[in-house]
Amino acid sequence: MDRVSSFDEPLKKLLGGATAKVMAEHLDLHTVGDLLHHYPRRYEERGKLTALADLPLDEHVTVVAQVADARILMFNNGRGKRLEVTLTDGSGRLQLVFFGHGVHKPHKELLPGHQAMFAGKVSVFNRKMQLAHPTYQLLDASDADEATEAVDAFAGRLLPIYPACKQLDSWRIAKAVDAVLPSARDAVDPLPASLREGRGFTPLPEALLKVHRPQTKADIEDAKARLKWDEAFVLQVALARRRYADTQLPAAARRPVADGLLDAFDAKLPFTLTEGQEKVSKEIFDDLATEHPMHRLLQGEVGSGKTMVALRAMLAVVDAGGQAAMLAPTEVLAQQHHRSITEMMGELAEGGMLGGSDHGTKVVLLTGSMGTAARRQALLDLVTGEAGIVIGTHALIEDKVQFHDLGLVVVDEQHRFGVEQRDALRSKGKQPPHLLVMTATPIPRTVAMTVFGDLETSVLDQLPAGRSPIASHVVPAKDKPHFLARAWERVREEVGNGHQAYVVCPRIGDDAEEAEGKKGKAKKKAAEEDPEKRPPLAVLEIADELRKGALAGLTVEVLHGRMHPDEKDDVMRRFAAGDVDVLVATTVIEVGVNVPNATAMVIMDADRFGVSQLHQLRGRVGRGSAAGLCLLVSEAHEASPARARLSAVAATLDGFELSRIDLEQRREGDVLGQAQSGVRSSLRMLTVIDDEEVIAAAREEAVAIVAADPELEHLPELRTVLAALLDKDREEYLDKG
């Protein structure tokens, strides 16, 4: 069998159809290689064989003993069953106990006179030593050698505990691993020998044996160090090759023109750019001036002025004869960007119109809900090149949309956008357009190096002048209801001072959402019995309560994703104009909504939101000269992790610090997300948050290797492993960035 094919061998050939089917369906394991990379989650230590006379309390032990007696006892008026087994080994006696449904099998097997091996944790009950629900293995006395071998294999060993499923428990997975473990010898080692030796890594076949069947704890550490490095390194090589390939693609260089649109725009700005904005703009302009496509991630705190930086880049591209498209995740946000960009540009956004500037261009909006006539005009403006800037949602990606010369694509809030959509838009240029991806979610360095590893990164970490501080407080509604009453008073005070407020709820709460029939009743009953199980608070219900109660007399409106786009736009316009005092909304306001006069935000059921999301929401207030106030209302218990999370949000305005806390709590699964599954599925040992040093070192090595040998011609093993890891889907995922 050649070296690669044993890893590609289907599991059903070695394990039988039934086991292989369960592994494929429930654990996504299909080949020998998949199973060898299904690493133990932890290891259980079986104690060395211990004499019954010397059992230590509260420790895991393994004993070999003979069953002296076994009997079933009833308790709780005959409703409960308990099996008590007495063991003896000549040095002492020990009691085992099994409860409930767990009594049947041991009652049949642990018969007086039989010898077996038992493992469990020693406890004391009624002043007697006992093991509760121990695992055990019967020893067949007919073959003394075999029995001794079984004892040696079972006792004194680190027992791997595998990620399992209901249909297949850990010890059956361990047996399956035993069947494929000889194939570990055929593992193709992706590391160049010089790198492996230089860093003192265990060879890969040995690492696989050690991770599955360690003799010592040092074996586990050795194996983990090696396997973590492999995951980080292979991924970073893939990303480095993507970045290299991108530098080989052709693109039109787009250089700003003197005395053009950009200069005219800068001349009318009522403020100066921050140092950070200047620095990041320079990085972007340098990229745009090259003849291969820019791929840059621009991350900046809420309100750090990313839109301004992006707009100036778009204007530079229009100056150079190209068009720029800005993609937003929702219609509300696309409309908002369109409104704020046309306001910032003034007559410069009215190119070709009466009163428009000579330098000007047209800025068009394109969304799915536009009327036919407006849509037809927008499409015409794009194909003729009349419109230099287009702002839209997914509607921009449809086949019908044609550009005259697409030079730059700006994607707002990338983590809400599928990679296929971004790719479809990129294919609309005559040559690949430049790409600028923006996010207001601060991304820890390690995540930036993995999830966005094929993009260069720019960070805006200063807030523009004029932004106000935001005070945040947790409101414990359950323990101190008068705090919630005070929160609504504060909202009234803000409105009394001429300002406005947001109230955010996790749910919309209309009938379409309510569970019907039995399910609904069951949920209601469960909620009454346990307040923790009540459904999250809803926009429509809270708005109704506030109008009738705490905020009676104020103008309270709602905004949520199920409203008609015209309705949404109307509410946002009136809120921006100051005609609405309080906006009760879902997280549709999380991204990009900009109303400087809104100074207060009350987040209901705040513990139902993630840390980064709370930080994003909070960034909607304090956008003007008046200070912002954010109140996090929670019924979570004071000592709960949910409350700790809220306290962390209240304690700092540093988004990078919060993103780190968020990642530590959620681990990387959510961060890498479903859309990024190409990477997710290849990370089994590496944790993005804990292994920053490994990732950074692997990136450095990967960059050097790819620079020296882009096609990996001299590293066939690395090429083989890369091809296996990056099957077509994952390759495409990386391709799209």
Side-chain angles (χ1 to χ4, degrees):
M1 192 183 291
D2 72 46
R3 298 174 70 202
V4 187
S5 64
S6 71
F7 263 49
D8 292 337
E9 188 90 34
L11 284 172
K12 60 174 177 255
K13 272 195 179 175
L14 285 106
L15 305 179
T19 306
K21 188 168 188 261
V22 172
M23 286 194 166
E25 286 176 6
H26 297 278
L27 297 168
D28 197 21
L29 305 174
H30 306 274
T31 65
V32 168
D34 289 344
L35 184 52
L36 285 173
H37 288 302
H38 187 71
Y39 306 131
R41 216 170 5 135
R42 59 188 173 86
Y43 301 85
E44 210 172 85
E45 290 183 68
R46 299 264 194 229
K48 288 286 182 196
L49 279 185
T50 314
L52 295 187
D54 308 326
L55 290 180
L57 196 59
D58 277 343
E59 279 189 26
H60 278 281
V61 298
T62 302
V63 298
V64 172
Q66 197 168 39
V67 177
D69 175 47
R71 56 208 168 116
I72 285 189
L73 304 172
M74 298 298 200
F75 61 94
N76 203 356
N77 290 332
R79 288 201 296 276
K81 271 185 190 176
R82 183 168 79 238
L83 171 66
E84 286 185 359
V85 179
T86 308
L87 302 180
T88 173
D89 71 346
S91 76
R93 291 168 85 80
L94 174 68
Q95 189 167 304
L96 313 179
V97 61
F98 299 87
F99 292 100
H101 297 306
V103 306
H104 305 304
K105 190 166 178 257
H107 189 227
K108 278 189 207 152
E109 294 180 340
L110 299 176
L111 302 171
H114 276 221
Q115 197 180 35
M117 207 161 18
F118 303 89
K121 193 176 183 183
V122 183
S123 58
V124 169
F125 181 71
N126 277 348
R127 288 188 288 187
K128 278 188 193 165
M129 291 267 198
Q130 73 165 26
L131 297 182
H133 276 287
T135 52
Y136 63 89
Q137 189 169 326
L138 294 169
L139 299 173
D140 185 356
S142 63
D143 185 340
D145 287 348
E146 209 174 289
T148 309
E149 210 173 282
V151 170
D152 288 346
F154 188 87
R157 205 175 67 178
L158 289 158
L159 203 76
I161 306 297
Y162 287 92
C165 59
K166 202 165 73 180
Q167 297 79 358
L168 201 64
D169 49 31
S170 173
W171 70 266
R172 282 172 64 200
I173 294 172
K175 273 182 96 162
V177 169
D178 284 337
V180 302
L181 211 47
S183 298
R185 290 191 308 268
D186 302 330
V188 176
D189 197 324
L191 297 193
S194 57
L195 193 160
R196 191 179 70 233
E197 285 150 21
R199 290 186 174 267
F201 285 131
T202 305
L204 184 56
E206 197 183 311
L208 288 169
L209 288 171
K210 281 180 170 178
V211 81
H212 287 293
R213 298 294 173 262
Q215 299 300 307
T216 63
K217 288 185 176 172
D219 281 354
I220 299 171
E221 291 315 306
D222 266 6
K224 280 187 168 176
R226 169 65 214 256
L227 296 168
K228 267 182 187 181
W229 176 272
D230 279 16
E231 285 179 10
F233 176 70
V234 172
L235 181 56
Q236 290 303 332
V237 168
L239 293 165
R241 290 186 72 197
R242 281 285 142 263
R243 289 193 299 276
Y244 178 83
D246 286 338
T247 64
Q248 307 306 301
L249 286 175
R254 311 280 179 174
R255 296 180 184 86
V257 176
D259 299 327
L261 188 53
L262 179 62
D263 284 352
F265 175 76
D266 284 350
K268 64 195 273 302
L269 276 183
F271 51 81
T272 54
L273 298 176
T274 65
E275 236 174 276
Q277 285 174 317
E278 292 278 16
K279 179 178 142 286
V280 170
S281 290
K282 184 182 181 322
E283 290 170 352
I284 292 171
F285 288 149
D286 288 350
D287 281 357
L288 289 173
T290 61
E291 293 187 347
H292 60 82
M294 163 172 81
H295 285 102
R296 190 166 283 280
L297 172 69
L298 170 56
Q299 44 174 327
E301 280 287 7
V302 170
S304 56
K306 293 184 302 299
T307 310
M308 174 59 70
V309 168
L311 175 56
R312 294 182 71 249
M314 294 198 286
L315 296 175
V317 167
V318 174
D319 270 346
Q323 290 168 296
M326 184 184 232
L327 230 58
T330 64
E331 294 212 351
V332 167
L333 193 53
Q335 287 160 347
Q336 175 119 2
H337 275 317
H338 182 252
R339 202 159 41 239
S340 62
I341 282 173
T342 47
E343 278 165 16
M344 280 196 270
M345 286 175 64
E347 75 280 4
L348 295 174
E350 296 167 358
M353 291 186 245
L354 277 174
S357 158
D358 295 346
H359 290 301
T361 185
K362 249 191 188 181
V363 179
V364 300
L365 175 69
L366 191 61
T367 62
S369 64
M370 281 170 74
T372 317
R375 190 180 168 74
R376 192 179 294 129
Q377 185 59 52
L379 290 171
L380 189 66
D381 288 342
L382 284 179
V383 76
T384 58
E386 187 89 2
I389 295 176
V390 58
I391 295 151
T393 55
H394 300 60
L396 275 180
I397 303 165
E398 289 173 9
D399 294 341
K400 288 189 206 103
V401 181
Q402 306 272 307
F403 290 87
H404 177 66
D405 180 12
L406 181 60
L408 170 66
V409 175
V410 178
V411 180
D412 192 19
E413 288 307 326
Q414 131 76 18
H415 63 291
R416 299 164 155 263
F417 220 87
V419 283
E420 295 80 8
Q421 295 147 333
R422 199 153 35 113
D423 197 45
L425 190 56
R426 260 174 55 176
S427 66
K428 289 187 174 292
K430 293 173 182 170
Q431 291 182 316
H434 298 281
L435 178 68
L436 180 64
V437 167
M438 301 198 296
T439 179
T441 306
I443 299 166
R445 181 166 165 258
T446 45
V447 180
M449 285 193 294
T450 45
V451 183
F452 301 103
D454 58 339
L455 301 173
E456 301 300 329
T457 304
S458 295
V459 179
L460 273 177
D461 47 15
Q462 284 171 295
L463 290 188
R467 288 301 302 259
S468 304
I470 305 168
S472 306
H473 305 283
V474 179
V475 177
K478 200 174 190 177
D479 315 340
K480 299 177 179 165
H482 59 287
F483 275 38
L484 182 58
R486 176 70 189 120
W488 299 128
E489 279 172 31
R490 284 291 290 109
V491 170
R492 276 190 172 283
E493 285 163 19
E494 289 298 314
V495 173
N497 291 333
H499 297 302
Q500 292 157 278
Y502 297 100
V503 177
V504 181
C505 303
R507 202 166 59 98
I508 298 171
D510 56 9
D511 296 339
E513 251 183 11
E514 305 305 330
E516 290 156 22
K518 285 182 188 169
K519 264 190 190 168
K521 282 177 190 157
K523 275 188 183 169
K524 205 169 180 186
K525 188 166 182 288
E528 281 161 11
E529 287 165 12
D530 179 1
E532 296 291 308
K533 288 183 179 158
R534 69 162 173 76
L537 294 171
V539 166
L540 300 178
E541 290 152 23
I542 293 292
D544 213 33
E545 281 172 31
L546 292 175
R547 285 187 192 114
K548 291 173 185 163
L551 302 183
L554 303 185
T555 318
V556 177
E557 293 279 9
V558 301
L559 180 71
H560 58 75
R562 229 176 269 143
M563 287 163 65
H564 187 276
D566 290 349
E567 273 183 281
K568 280 191 237 177
D569 201 35
D570 176 54
V571 171
M572 274 317 302
R573 267 180 206 283
R574 287 189 293 121
F575 188 63
D579 300 337
V580 173
D581 299 322
V582 179
L583 187 62
V584 184
T586 55
T587 53
V588 291
I589 60 151
E590 176 187 354
V591 181
V593 170
N594 182 22
V595 179
N597 191 45
T599 52
M601 176 177 284
V602 180
I603 302 179
M604 307 302 291
D605 272 347
D607 44 276
R608 312 250 182 158
F609 297 97
V611 170
S612 293
Q613 199 171 29
L614 290 169
H615 181 59
Q616 289 278 71
L617 287 164
R618 167 172 63 184
R620 302 294 119 222
V621 294
R623 299 177 77 86
S625 51
L629 172 69
C630 178
L631 301 173
L632 306 164
V633 179
S634 167
E635 289 188 6
H637 191 274
E638 196 167 356
S640 67
R643 275 285 285 280
R645 230 175 33 230
L646 296 184
S647 302
V649 174
T652 179
L653 290 170
D654 180 343
F656 282 93
E657 174 56 28
L658 287 174
S659 71
R660 198 166 178 89
I661 293 166
D662 196 18
L663 192 54
E664 273 166 6
Q665 291 185 335
R666 294 186 300 148
R667 311 308 292 175
E668 62 284 345
D670 292 354
V671 180
L672 296 176
Q674 281 307 300
Q676 328 289 15
S677 61
V679 174
R680 179 75 190 102
S681 54
S682 64
L683 300 190
R684 293 192 173 90
M685 189 64 81
L686 193 73
T687 53
V688 174
I689 191 71
D690 300 325
D691 297 318
E692 180 162 343
E693 284 167 25
V694 176
I695 293 169
R699 183 179 171 108
E700 219 168 280
E701 295 276 13
V703 167
I705 280 170
V706 171
D709 182 3
E711 294 304 314
L712 308 178
E713 282 171 19
H714 304 297
L715 299 167
E717 291 83 5
L718 178 53
R719 227 177 35 238
T720 302
V721 170
L722 212 52
L725 172 77
L726 299 170
D727 55 34
K728 200 159 175 359
D729 295 346
R730 298 179 208 170
E731 182 83 39
E732 280 174 6
Y733 154 68
L734 286 171
D735 225 345
K736 295 162 189 169

